[in-house]
Each structure stands twice: as C-alpha cells, then as structure tokens.
Amino acid sequence: MKSVEVKAEQLSGRFSKFTQIHVAVAAIFGLVSLVLVNSQANHGLPMYLSVFMFFLTITLGGLFWVTIFHLTRSGWSVVVRRLFEHLMNRVGLMALLFIPIVLGLHGLYEWTHEAHVMHDHLLQVKAPYLNQPFFIVRSIVYFIVWFVLARGFFNDSTQQDINGDPLLTARSQKRSTYGILLYAITISFAGIDWIMTLTPHWYSTMFGVYIFAGAALSSLCMVSLLALFLRRNGFLSTVISVEHYHDLGKLIYGFVIFWAYIGFSQYFLIWYANIPEETMFYLSRNTAAWKAVSLMLVFGHFLVPFVLFMSRHMKRNRVIHACIAAWILLMHAIDMVWLVLPTFYPNGYMPTVLDIAIIIALAAAYGAAVWKGLDTVALFAHQDPRVDESMRFENV
Amino acid sequence: MSKYSEHPAVARTVLVKGDTSYEAITEIVHRPAITKPPKWWHIGLSAGITGIALLFSMIGYLLFEGVGVWGLNNPVGWGYAIVNFVFWVGIGHAGTLISAILFLFRQNWRTSINRFAEAMTIFAVICALIFPGIHIGRVWAAHWLFPIPNQMAMWPNFRSPLLWDVFAVSTYFTVSLLFWFVGLVPDLATFRDRAKTKISKFVYGIFSLGWRGSSRHWLHYEKAYLLLAALATPLVLSVHSIVSFDFAVSQVPGWHTTIFPPYFVAGAIFSGFAMVVTLMVVARKLFGLESMITDRHLEIMNMIILATGTMVGYAYAMEFFVAWYSGNVVEQYAFVNRAFGPYWWAYWIMVSCNVISPQLFWFKKIRTTPWLMFVVTIFVNIGMWFERFVITVTSLSRDFLPSSWGYYSPTWVDVMTFVGSFGLFFTLLLLFMKFLPMIAISEIKAVLPHDHADHETNKGGSNE
C-alpha cells in the first residue's frame, strides 16, 4: 500500500504584515469613502451594493462548495476544502458590511419611497412583500442561516485538525443535507430581495439561480487563485497538486457553461416572448453605453473562457490557470455591476473617486479578513479521514 | 496519514459483493443469453407485443379517421400526444446523465447501472419520437420536419422551438445510441466468444466489430468513450431545455417563465431515475443481480431522486411565489387556476407524487428497502406524467379569451395509444434483457475490490 506523508502546514504569521497593510488600506479608504459620501452629489450606494454582492457571492460560493463536498462525500477535494471554508467564514464580515445598505435603503430601493408608492398601483399591490420591516427581517434571517451553517462546518473541520475524529465528518455530512435546502432558499431570496427588487416591477423566476451560478463560479476561481498564491510562497506545494488544479479547472469550466446557460435561458425567454413588463430589465442593459457591457459579458464571461479553458493543458498549467481564474473574477465583478448600475444610470456611468474608494476599501477589508482567517488555523484539513485519498488522487 | 480512513462513519463501501471473480461476473451477466428464458419473460413479451399491436392499431385508426379521434379541442390544441412526448423524453434522461455526467464526476458506482439505464433511455426516446410524429396531422409529410432542400423552396420555420426539438431529440437519440453501442462492443465480444450457436456467434461477431481486446483496441475505446461522454454532457441539458422552450417562449401564462429550462432538466432526471429504480428493483431480483446492483446502488439513486425531486419542488414554489410577487393578475390567475380550478385533481396528484413522495427518501429505511422504493418511484412516474399534463392542459384550457375557455378530456384513443407505447417500451426492454449484457461487464470488473487491494482509498468510489 502506498502511503503518503501528511504534514500539517501553517502560515504562522508569514503574512501578518500583508494583513496589516490590508487593514490599513481598508481603514483609510473606508474613511475616504465616508468623507466623500456627504461631499459628493453621487452617494456611491449602487457601486457599494455591486461590490458587496461580488464578495457576498464569493462567500456564499464557499459555503455551497463546502456543503456539496460533504453531501457527496467527496474525496479529492479534502485538501482544498479549507480554502473554501475560509471564504464561507466571511459571512460575519458580510453581515457587518450589510449595515450601510440597510442605512441606505432609501437611496437604493424605489419601493421604500412612500410618496412614490402612492402613485404606483403595482407597488401598492406588492407592499406586503416590499416593505422595510419585512425586508430587514428577511435579511437578518438569511445571515443567521448562513452564519450558523458556516460556523458549524468550520468548527467541525478545525476541531478535526486537533483530534482527527471521523464523527465530525459524519456530523458535517449530516448538516450538509438540510444545509443545502436552507442554502438554496436563502441565496435565491437574498438575490431576489437585494438585487431583483431594485427594479421592483420586473420579475424572473430564474433570478435566484442566476445569482447562485455566479456564486459557485466565482468562489472556485478565488480558491484557485488563493491556492496558487500560497504555492508561490512555498505553502501547500506538496499538498495541492496539479491534479487538484485540474479538477478545480474542470469545475470552473463547467460553471462557466452553467452561468451562460442560466443567463442565456433568462435572456432568451424574455427576448422571445417580448412582453414589455419583462423586457424592461434588458432594455436598459441593451441600449446606450450598457450594450457594450452586456456584450462584454457574453464574450468575456462565457466565450473567452469557454474556448481557452477547454483543453486539459490549460487547466494544468498554473500560470494560464491563474490568468483565467483572475479574468473570470473580473468578469464576475462586471456582472455584479451590470446587475445593479443600469437601473440607476440608464445612460451609462463613469466611476467616481468615491466608487473607487469603496471598491478598494471593501476589497482590502475582505482580503484582511481572509488572511487573518488563514493565519489562525492549519492550511488544510490534515486530519480529515479522507486526506490520503485526496492527496493520492490522480486524473487518469 | 489519518488512522481513521477505515472508520465506519467515513469508509467507502464495496461496490460488488459476493463472488467477485472475473469468471463469476461474466457468468452471471451472460447467463440469460444462453439459457432458455423463464416463463415470466414469455408472458411479459406477449403482453408487450399486444401493447405494440394496440399502439399501431390506434395509430392506424388515427391516420384513417384524422386527429378528431383525439380529445383535442379549441383552445386545448395540445393534449395527450405532447404530454406523452415530454414524459418519455424525460425518462430518457437518466441514461445519458449516468453514463456521461456521472462518468465525468468519477462516480464509479455507475458501472452497475449505466448499461441498463442507457438502454432504457434509447427505448424511451423511441417511444417519445412516435408522438410528435403522429401529431402533425399529415403523417405522410413528416419528413418536412427536416430542412430538406426542395423545388418549392419551402423550409421549416427556423425560429420555432418545435423545429429545434427535431434537431435536439434526433441528436440526443443518435449520440445516446452511439454511446451505448461503443460501451457494448467489448461485452459483445465476450458474448461472441461464449456463444453456443453458430447464428449467435455470427450476429454478436458482426456487432462486436472484430474486438480482440488488444491494448490498442482499449486505447481507442477509452478515448472514444471519454469523447462521447463529453459530447453527451451538454445534450443532457440541451434536450429538455429545448423541450421547455416549446412552452416557455410563448406568452401563455403558466408556460412563459424563465426558470423553465433548468426546471425541466431537473424534472427529466428525476423521472428518468425513478424509472430506472422501478425497473432495476424488479430486474435485479428476476436475474439474480443483487451482488452487482446492491442496495447501496439503489440507495444512491434514491438520493438523486430526492435531490432532483426537491429541485422540482423549488421550481413549483418559485413559480408560485413570483406569480404572486409579480402583481400580474393574469399570471396569478394561471397558478390559482392550476391548484383550485377544474384541474385541481391533476395538480394535487402532481404535487403529492413529485414533491411529497420523494421526501420519504429522507428515511434510510425507505430508500434501502426495495419494495418501498418501488412504490415511491411508481408514484414519481405517475407524478411526472401529471406534471406535463398540468402544464400543457391547464394553461391552454383557460386561454386569453374567456369566451373560448373549455375543458379537455382524452378519448379512449388517447388513452390506448399511451398504454400501447408502454407495450413498445417493455418489448424492447425484455429483448434487451434477454440478448444483451445488462451490466457493463468490462466496466464493473474495473471497480472490483480486489483490483484495488494496493489502493485502499480508491475502492471504486461509493461511500457511506
């Protein structure tokens, strides 16, 4: 029997300075944003929501993959699972970052304007769902569900690092069954509440699935990038092998297609039936400056990675793998902007200094939290009962 | 390494039980082909052929009299024929999912069931193809469905999803057949080598394409298999997505909703797996295949039924929620009418069979007891037929003009044609079980426990 040596790896403060820089940048740009919010006519909320959704989808994608790995008793993924767990564990930070959205509800959601609702029959009809107290209650419920699930998985996994108890795996597997149900409901309705109700007249049954597709894809890309970055710095290089990158690449490729499938189905059915109350969503995105962005998504988010990432060679080449993962993350960011901004600026938009400050602040805050998290526990689940299977696996 | 990798809570289960020598496995799978078929097989085949006779006499009657013998009316221009078409195509989804997607996901337990599921897929698609074929009215012009250059310069409407259906389903059928056949080649050669009569040796010989099992043959075979798996994967999604477009591109409330494509795909896999389990529970008993199709195999399939059934439930709920949320009275009416209108009975049969009954698989007892899962999967089969009935008929019977609202009831011809299609399905299935290897012999030999004695973690994948 071939036996592999599993040695725990730890960052042990290697990136503490890096983390501190992240914190400092987040603090500075957070302050800059706060100052600029009041001094500029543009309040920056739409961009804030886009960037928030970008990081939220990555976080929830992490939760999805951890759940699905447990649900399917996946063996190959054990050595990369910890990285997904770190993304998933950012739910608390995202809840904190949600506060500005609650404070800015009025600036984002048309249905919060009572004067406006008075003259809009449809919004009056929808008032039982679209009202502020219910909206906030729902949002709190989503965060509680995510937090409880993520905490449960994370605690089990890190506790196993110490005692190697296989019953912890069994418990996580159990949690994953009802977890995936709660997850499906909450991510769908969070997507509907936070993004779809920006255009409160518009509706699409596919919307929740669209948000999910982006979440699953972006978290895979983020994990690939994280792992490759750690590898460059000498971590996990004997643990996460080219076979794991190959598998991550296959999943990225699959979800590039899944995203396109969902996006296309939604667009196509609305385009074909051509009913005004549905087409309005795409009308503002297919005219003026937004048309270029829509096309960029078609090509950049789907066609380019579809062609480039098809071959085995591309998935196994670390440099190309990293470039494509980064590219897809950029496209995912544009997708989130595309979902939010055209509603507010139908004629196109040029980011302001405030927007850029918001992007940097949120990215640095998220980065700091991820690096802090990585530093606190072992870099991979070295006591997982299936860790040998994962380290030994090969694509044949 | 972890000292707990063999702990019962996480250990991988063995995929093949009992006598796992190569000889024994070949023997078990080959036995039906050389022994006289049992009595039940003859009875089943006679019933199946009677069903075919019924099917073709109904079709003959339809062609002689015209579509008026069906229950179609105005506004319900789509009835049993479309419902049956979607029902059978849906069942035909399990095979490709198992052979292509589970193959790419390295789900080794599939090796026990893939052959059977693929065969079932092909027979189901054959049954499905009959219905649109006889629905077109002028059956003698059925070839006009294809864009064949002609002197009248007349073409089908390329913008119609009905035409895309022609392409999608025929592509699906072709690829599924090829996939099935490529997988069969090594096993056909085994049958050829073990054949007892000259005729069977000749026939198996022709279809095994001169297979001698050289490493060059295996190399080509594996390559072809992987390529076909990759090609078949998008087809699993595309066929039922396009079938859903038949409904969803329209403006009919209850048909036009954006979640239709993935919702139809989930429903198709759901119904296909249910049919596989229904048939498998019986077949493994009759042919004594319990050592290869273990309770664990059935349990995993039941878990997939639970997962896809819940996805279907998600889609039902999301449709209802969005209809309410939309504030669109027409949309709201379409759904209230489904649940509480004249077809309320069909709707509640659908919900109880498709959403509630698979939830029973949360209980380990139910998903591992053959007769219990048999009952549940029969309910799922019924429910998925009613789903298509509910979608097709309720929306049409209450269309845009209240003055033309009507009620659709099938005639005896409708019902008998559908019953007859089961005869065709079961006849083909019984012939398959008699003459072809029901289990992929060469593939299952690769997941035997002793083949991985040196490789303790990769025992063939399935897990507890």
Side-chain angles (χ1 to χ4, degrees):
Chain A
M1 190 172 78
K2 265 193 309 185
S3 133
V4 274
E5 204 193 341
V6 184
K7 244 176 66 193
E9 285 191 37
Q10 199 104 37
L11 278 188
S12 352
R14 168 77 192 280
F15 290 105
S16 56
K17 203 159 219 167
F18 194 57
T19 314
Q20 282 160 11
I21 295 172
H22 273 79
V23 174
V25 171
I28 293 167
F29 281 89
L31 280 175
V32 170
S33 311
L34 277 179
V35 172
L36 287 178
V37 163
N38 291 324
S39 65
Q40 289 197 347
N42 164 7
H43 48 58
L45 274 170
M47 185 57 90
Y48 185 89
L49 181 63
S50 305
V51 184
F52 170 84
M53 283 305 291
F54 175 75
F55 287 108
L56 181 82
T57 46
I58 290 174
T59 307
L60 292 181
L63 179 57
F64 169 73
W65 286 110
V66 172
T67 314
I68 214 78
F69 290 152
H70 284 300
L71 192 63
T72 58
R73 282 74 169 133
S74 162
W76 73 273
S77 61
V78 168
V79 295
V80 289
R81 201 187 64 225
R82 180 58 48 81
L83 300 175
F84 286 102
E85 286 168 355
H86 282 300
L87 296 183
M88 150 191 102
N89 225 8
R90 304 284 76 82
V91 167
L93 173 72
M94 295 320 294
L96 218 62
L97 294 178
F98 191 67
I99 293 171
I101 294 173
V102 175
L103 297 177
L105 276 190
H106 213 60
L108 283 169
Y109 300 97
E110 183 189 333
W111 49 265
T112 59
H113 297 242
E114 271 162 42
H116 189 93
V117 173
M118 265 175 36
H119 301 290
D120 191 322
H121 173 70
L122 208 51
L123 290 188
Q124 283 167 24
V125 171
K126 292 185 178 200
Y129 191 76
L130 295 182
N131 59 73
Q132 294 190 43
F134 192 26
F135 179 91
I136 292 168
V137 169
R138 286 197 306 268
S139 302
I140 293 172
V141 170
Y142 305 148
F143 276 113
I144 290 175
V145 169
W146 297 332
F147 190 79
V148 170
L149 287 176
R151 269 285 128 187
F153 283 126
F154 194 78
N155 287 347
D156 281 356
S157 183
T158 47
Q159 208 186 327
Q160 199 174 46
D161 283 354
I162 301 161
N163 58 16
D165 185 0
L167 293 176
L168 291 168
T169 301
R171 191 160 81 184
S172 282
Q173 285 173 181
K174 188 145 219 170
R175 184 182 302 109
S176 69
T177 55
Y178 61 84
I180 198 81
L181 293 183
L182 292 172
Y183 178 85
I185 296 166
T186 47
I187 191 174
S188 308
F189 279 92
I192 289 172
D193 284 358
W194 300 342
I195 303 291
M196 201 169 96
T197 69
L198 288 172
T199 38
H201 289 196
W202 184 72
Y203 54 89
S204 165
T205 43
M206 186 77 110
F207 201 79
V209 188
Y210 185 77
I211 295 293
F212 159 73
L217 175 61
S218 58
S219 57
L220 286 168
C221 296
M222 188 55 107
V223 164
S224 267
L225 281 181
L226 257 179
L228 286 164
F229 182 82
L230 288 169
R231 187 189 175 90
R232 268 188 81 94
N233 289 284
F235 294 99
L236 296 175
S237 50
T238 56
V239 178
I240 302 180
S241 71
V242 65
E243 305 298 338
H244 298 107
Y245 290 110
H246 189 181
D247 262 21
L248 286 170
K250 285 189 264 184
L251 285 174
I252 290 173
Y253 190 70
F255 273 86
V256 162
I257 298 172
F258 184 73
W259 174 87
Y261 167 64
I262 298 299
F264 171 76
S265 298
Q266 180 169 265
Y267 174 78
F268 176 74
L269 291 175
I270 288 173
W271 172 81
Y272 203 115
N274 206 10
I275 303 171
E277 59 221 68
E278 289 182 350
T279 49
M280 63 182 183
F281 179 82
Y282 287 107
L283 201 61
S284 56
R285 283 159 182 79
N286 275 354
T287 45
W290 294 110
K291 187 169 187 170
V293 181
S294 297
L295 286 174
M296 194 195 287
L297 286 178
V298 173
F299 286 93
H301 204 314
F302 173 59
L303 277 173
V304 170
F306 175 76
V307 173
L308 286 184
F309 223 30
M310 193 183 288
S311 105
R312 174 187 170 93
H313 173 74
M314 300 294 204
K315 294 183 199 103
R316 291 170 81 93
N317 180 308
R318 285 197 295 273
V319 177
I320 297 173
H321 190 116
C323 290
I324 290 179
W327 170 259
I328 294 173
L329 275 179
L330 174 69
M331 285 299 133
H332 179 60
I334 291 174
D335 188 21
M336 293 298 113
V337 168
W338 177 85
L339 282 178
V340 177
L341 260 57
T343 306
F344 297 91
Y345 315 103
N347 296 319
Y349 184 67
M350 187 53 81
T352 61
V353 181
L354 171 61
D355 291 330
I356 292 163
I358 287 172
I359 295 171
I360 296 174
L362 283 183
Y366 196 84
V370 169
W371 285 110
K372 187 94 189 63
L374 280 168
D375 198 48
T376 49
V377 288
L379 279 176
F380 72 103
H382 55 93
Q383 290 279 9
D384 190 289
R386 298 198 180 107
V387 71
D388 314 317
E389 185 179 338
S390 179
M391 286 180 75
R392 206 183 283 150
F393 125 83
E394 274 173 38
N395 283 293
V396 273
Chain B
M1 66 172 287
S2 169
K3 52 186 179 291
Y4 293 114
S5 58
E6 290 297 307
H7 189 281
V10 291
R12 303 296 190 191
T13 42
V14 176
L15 287 176
V16 184
K17 293 181 170 153
D19 184 355
T20 54
S21 69
Y22 288 165
E23 171 64 24
I25 284 172
T26 311
E27 176 58 37
I28 294 173
V29 181
H30 188 226
R31 198 182 301 137
I34 44 165
T35 50
K36 251 179 98 112
K39 206 165 175 191
W40 63 261
W41 189 86
H42 287 290
I43 298 171
L45 193 70
S46 333
I49 291 173
T50 316
I52 296 183
L54 181 66
L55 173 68
F56 283 100
S57 43
M58 287 303 114
I59 293 174
Y61 180 55
L62 169 83
L63 297 188
F64 188 77
E65 283 289 328
V67 203
V69 299
W70 285 352
L72 299 178
N73 59 32
N74 198 353
V76 186
W78 275 6
Y80 257 47
I82 297 296
V83 175
N84 296 343
F85 163 69
V86 183
F87 172 75
W88 281 117
V89 170
I91 287 178
H93 267 66
T96 335
L97 180 98
I98 291 168
S99 38
I101 293 190
L102 296 188
F103 176 69
L104 296 181
F105 278 115
R106 293 194 296 266
Q107 297 297 304
N108 288 340
W109 58 274
R110 64 181 264 290
T111 50
S112 298
I113 52 163
N114 64 343
R115 175 68 47 72
F116 193 91
E118 284 166 30
M120 187 208 71
T121 287
I122 289 161
F123 306 148
V125 176
I126 290 173
C127 292
L129 283 169
I130 291 174
F131 288 99
I134 58 176
H135 197 304
I136 54 175
R138 295 172 196 161
V139 181
W140 49 93
H143 57 283
W144 287 4
L145 284 169
F146 295 95
I148 302 164
N150 56 71
Q151 76 280 17
M152 297 177 287
M154 204 166 69
W155 298 95
N157 182 1
F158 286 100
R159 283 188 276 185
S160 163
L162 298 175
L163 177 70
W164 311 336
D165 252 351
V166 174
F167 298 140
V169 180
S170 53
T171 312
Y172 184 71
F173 182 70
T174 313
V175 174
S176 303
L177 191 67
L178 273 176
F179 203 176
W180 185 57
F181 178 63
V182 168
L184 265 170
V185 168
D187 291 356
L188 287 174
T190 308
F191 273 34
R192 172 200 63 198
D193 297 343
R194 295 169 63 99
K196 293 264 198 296
T197 64
K198 266 221 157 82
I199 300 175
S200 58
K201 201 171 197 78
F202 179 73
V203 175
Y204 287 124
I206 286 184
F207 284 104
S208 56
L209 306 176
W211 179 271
R212 291 182 315 282
S214 72
S215 51
R216 178 183 284 254
H217 285 174
W218 280 112
L219 192 72
H220 289 161
Y221 168 84
E222 301 254 321
K223 221 171 233 171
Y225 203 87
L226 182 64
L227 278 176
L228 281 170
L231 284 173
T233 302
L235 289 175
V236 179
L237 295 172
S238 70
V239 180
H240 235 63
S241 296
I242 288 174
V243 170
S244 81
F245 286 171
D246 292 346
F247 301 94
V249 297
S250 71
Q251 296 174 340
V252 177
W255 284 14
H256 176 69
T257 176
T258 48
I259 205 168
F260 252 39
Y263 151 42
F264 264 50
V265 172
I269 294 164
F270 178 53
S271 69
F273 266 71
M275 189 59 108
V276 174
V277 171
T278 308
L279 299 172
M280 212 61 128
V281 166
V282 181
R284 73 167 195 159
K285 184 100 197 140
L286 292 173
F287 288 98
L289 301 172
E290 283 97 340
S291 62
M292 281 174 269
I293 304 165
T294 63
D295 288 348
R296 180 65 188 156
H297 286 95
L298 296 173
E299 188 189 0
I300 300 174
M301 283 195 279
N302 291 333
M303 292 198 277
I304 294 180
I305 290 174
L306 172 59
T308 46
T310 312
M311 287 183 204
V312 169
Y314 169 94
Y316 294 165
M318 189 53 84
E319 277 185 337
F320 250 91
F321 167 74
V322 170
W324 173 73
Y325 168 83
S326 71
N328 182 330
V329 283
V330 186
E331 194 76 18
Q332 286 169 348
Y333 177 75
F335 285 92
V336 171
N337 179 48
R338 263 188 197 176
F340 306 107
Y343 291 101
W344 62 271
W345 49 275
Y347 181 82
W348 292 106
I349 292 176
M350 166 186 107
V351 170
S352 34
C353 290
N354 286 352
V355 185
I356 300 169
S357 79
Q359 300 305 321
L360 292 170
F361 284 146
W362 283 99
F363 302 102
K364 193 167 177 92
K365 173 93 184 134
I366 295 175
R367 62 170 193 261
T368 50
T369 311
W371 73 268
L372 283 173
M373 67 178 86
F374 183 79
V375 173
V376 173
T377 54
I378 289 283
F379 277 123
V380 172
N381 287 319
I382 295 171
M384 283 309 290
W385 188 86
F386 273 96
E387 179 195 295
R388 279 64 174 247
F389 181 84
V390 166
I391 292 171
T392 311
V393 174
T394 55
S395 287
L396 283 179
S397 70
R398 295 272 165 107
D399 69 347
F400 298 108
L401 276 180
S403 61
S404 68
W405 285 2
Y407 190 84
Y408 165 85
S409 325
T411 61
W412 63 275
V413 182
D414 280 312
V415 179
M416 288 302 142
T417 314
F418 179 52
V419 172
S421 67
F422 275 95
L424 177 61
F425 180 72
F426 281 112
T427 306
L428 292 169
L429 204 67
L430 286 166
L431 291 173
F432 159 75
M433 295 200 277
K434 167 78 180 83
F435 293 107
L436 291 172
M438 238 181 300
I439 288 179
I441 308 173
S442 59
E443 287 189 59
I444 202 166
K445 282 179 181 170
V447 300
L448 296 179
H450 54 75
D451 273 5
H452 297 278
D454 60 326
H455 222 231
E456 127 282 359
T457 48
N458 192 14
K459 217 173 260 184
S462 167
N463 29 62
E464 190 64 55

